[in-house]
Amino acid sequence: MDTTLTLELKFRAADGKNKNLIIRNPTEGLTSAEIKPVMQKIIGLDAFAVKGTNPYSLIDSARYVKRTTTDLFNSEI
């Protein structure tokens, strides 16, 4: 069994579409007070603009996602 943890930062693009920025193996236990300023900084960088549209324009939400994978069998070829 393998468990992985990601942090999903959810934004809204200038065109109204939802965009996610996923961080693998994040520090656990971060609070909204710690995450929101970082998300605001990402918006301010405007480093991900595509055709003049920033896909990370507004903060929507953030969440941890824990995923457990259980192998049923492995081929021994």
Side-chain angles (χ1 to χ4, degrees):
M1 189 164 27
D2 184 32
T3 301
T4 58
L5 181 69
T6 58
L7 175 61
E8 290 184 359
L9 305 179
K10 297 177 170 277
F11 296 86
R12 292 214 187 246
D15 60 6
K17 294 181 181 177
N18 295 327
K19 299 292 181 181
N20 297 337
L21 185 59
I22 299 171
I23 300 167
R24 294 180 183 170
N25 304 313
T27 300
E28 292 188 55
L30 296 172
T31 65
S32 61
E34 295 169 311
I35 294 173
K36 282 183 180 181
V38 173
M39 293 176 76
Q40 194 61 49
K41 194 167 195 171
I42 290 168
I43 291 170
L45 289 173
D46 202 23
F48 302 99
V50 177
K51 296 181 183 177
T53 301
N54 186 357
Y56 305 112
S57 294
L58 297 169
I59 293 173
D60 183 36
S61 61
R63 67 181 180 180
Y64 284 109
V65 176
K66 190 175 283 191
R67 180 177 172 206
T68 302
T69 305
T70 304
D71 292 331
L72 298 177
F73 68 91
N74 289 317
S75 178
E76 296 189 26
I77 296 177

